[in-house]
Amino acid sequence: MRASHLAVVWNPSKTTQEQLEEALRDAVADREAPDEVSWWQTSPDDPGQSATAHAIEAGADVVAAAGGDGTVRAVAEHLAEVSAPVELGIVPLGTGNLLARNLDVPLGDPVAAFDRLLVSGTARTIDVGWAEVEEAGGTQRCAFAVMAGFGIDAHMITETDDDLKEKAGWLAYVESLGRAVSASETIDVRMSVDEGRPHKERAHTVLIGNCGTLQGGVVLLPGADPADGALDMLLLSADDVAGWLDTLRTMVWDNGLKRVLSGRRSARSSDSVTHRRITALRVELAEPRVFEIDGEDLGETSRVVITVQPSALRVR
């Protein structure tokens, strides 16, 4: 389906409207352009939700998020929340660009990204995860398209050097894991999976993903499918050097190279690594921990409820 009204929600900290207009002109040079193009700028107070709402009110049938992971998440959140019959396009301009990576959207090339979303006649349907995060001032409800969670590895994933990730892949995380050995601290976690009975775990990290691939081609959640109506949970419980070595072996070898060589899709668990597919999760922490969502720090919390919204988005 050709885009009739293309709305571009763009982050001014990543680019300018003039640069995006030039990229769009190049993308439509040899094909029919949309009948209408509108431009909606984000701000620190509005990372994209309100801009997307205005774009929908203006009659957009495709909303392109031009920015980093935060912009893409904000646009996706509003589209999923209102269940609008509007398709999502992605013009990745950040350093992570995690959803774009998982959906094979061209990176670092706005012309190619615009070309993809304009040429694509059939949008891909994907799920969205929702996190209800209890904070001191109340409960915050946020959508995530890629990954959410808490723990030392949540920080490791977002703070590991991006250039090193691109050049060295898993070796970049090995360097971070070395620092994590002395910094990790397991705590008591009470969780209920898929409305089951609550049970206790010891863990320092719980990650819930809709997609599984990070920068550098690193697959953190093998078998994660953004369109299967479920989420993938990773629980890490290493509390000493032996535990971290087991974590490294399981994630890099068993669920990394060995999985690729064997053609196996599912992830394997070990003494310190637990994988599970879920549709709902309630987590209560013995101590508050920083919770992150698609790379964004939401602050400390001790209670989180996770659900999945199947087929929430149609992505070009």
Side-chain angles (χ1 to χ4, degrees):
M1 181 183 70
R2 185 176 70 87
S4 176
H5 178 173
L6 172 64
V8 182
V9 175
W10 61 285
N11 186 337
S13 71
K14 303 294 184 181
T15 187
T16 66
Q17 182 174 328
E18 291 73 22
Q19 290 173 323
L20 289 171
E21 288 176 338
E22 181 180 357
L24 181 57
R25 283 195 299 270
D26 290 343
V28 300
D30 299 322
R31 65 176 53 86
E32 188 177 5
D35 296 331
E36 183 177 355
V37 179
S38 58
W39 301 87
W40 308 90
Q41 182 175 318
T42 70
S43 69
D45 295 330
D46 170 27
Q49 289 93 338
S50 296
T52 304
H54 294 319
I56 294 172
E57 291 172 1
D61 56 343
V62 177
V63 177
D69 289 325
T71 304
V72 174
R73 193 198 69 77
V75 174
E77 178 177 273
H78 186 78
L79 291 178
E81 186 172 33
V82 301
S83 299
V86 178
E87 296 177 352
L88 170 66
I90 304 174
V91 182
L93 301 172
T95 54
N97 302 313
L98 294 179
L99 184 58
R101 292 175 190 273
N102 280 273
L103 301 182
D104 296 322
V105 176
L107 306 178
D109 189 345
V111 175
F114 274 123
D115 182 75
R116 172 190 167 108
L117 70 89
L118 291 172
V119 169
S120 176
T122 303
R124 176 180 179 180
T125 301
I126 68 170
D127 311 320
V128 162
W130 286 92
E132 295 181 18
V133 184
E134 186 175 295
E135 301 172 321
T139 300
Q140 182 177 181
R141 184 172 184 264
C142 300
F144 60 95
V146 182
M147 204 170 294
F150 71 87
I152 191 69
D153 284 58
H155 293 288
M156 179 191 76
I157 290 163
T158 57
E159 295 174 4
T160 301
D161 182 79
D162 290 308
D163 290 336
L164 188 58
K165 289 176 188 176
E166 294 294 344
K167 295 175 182 177
W170 259 114
L171 292 179
Y173 294 97
V174 173
E175 187 269 338
S176 288
L177 280 168
R179 296 196 307 271
V181 169
S182 60
S184 63
E185 179 184 354
T186 58
I187 60 172
D188 288 328
V189 178
R190 184 176 175 85
M191 59 173 55
S192 175
V193 177
D194 295 343
E195 306 303 326
R197 292 175 60 87
H199 65 279
K200 288 186 178 181
E201 298 276 2
R202 289 285 293 177
H204 60 75
T205 297
V206 176
L207 295 175
I208 306 95
N210 189 41
C211 302
T213 302
L214 303 176
Q215 296 98 313
V218 174
V219 180
L220 184 66
L221 297 170
D225 181 349
D228 64 358
L231 301 170
D232 283 51
M233 181 183 75
L234 171 65
L235 184 149
L236 302 180
S237 57
D239 60 0
D240 56 20
V241 173
W244 278 103
L245 289 175
D246 175 70
T247 299
L248 193 60
R249 187 202 72 240
T250 303
M251 297 177 71
V252 178
W253 172 244
D254 291 341
N255 292 330
L257 182 59
K258 185 177 180 180
R259 182 187 63 86
V260 173
L261 293 174
S262 66
R264 173 171 49 85
R265 285 186 53 83
S266 61
R268 287 184 176 173
S269 299
S270 68
D271 291 340
S272 59
V273 179
T274 301
H275 284 275
R276 185 166 180 177
R277 294 180 73 250
I278 65 171
T279 56
L281 176 69
R282 179 183 296 271
V283 181
E284 296 181 10
L285 312 177
E287 303 171 12
R289 288 290 186 269
V290 172
F291 191 81
E292 300 189 54
I293 188 166
D294 284 357
E296 178 183 352
D297 184 339
L298 296 186
E300 289 192 339
T301 183
S302 58
R303 183 175 299 171
V304 179
V305 176
I306 303 289
T307 55
V308 62
Q309 181 182 352
S311 304
L313 295 173
R314 290 176 54 80
V315 186
R316 287 236 172 182

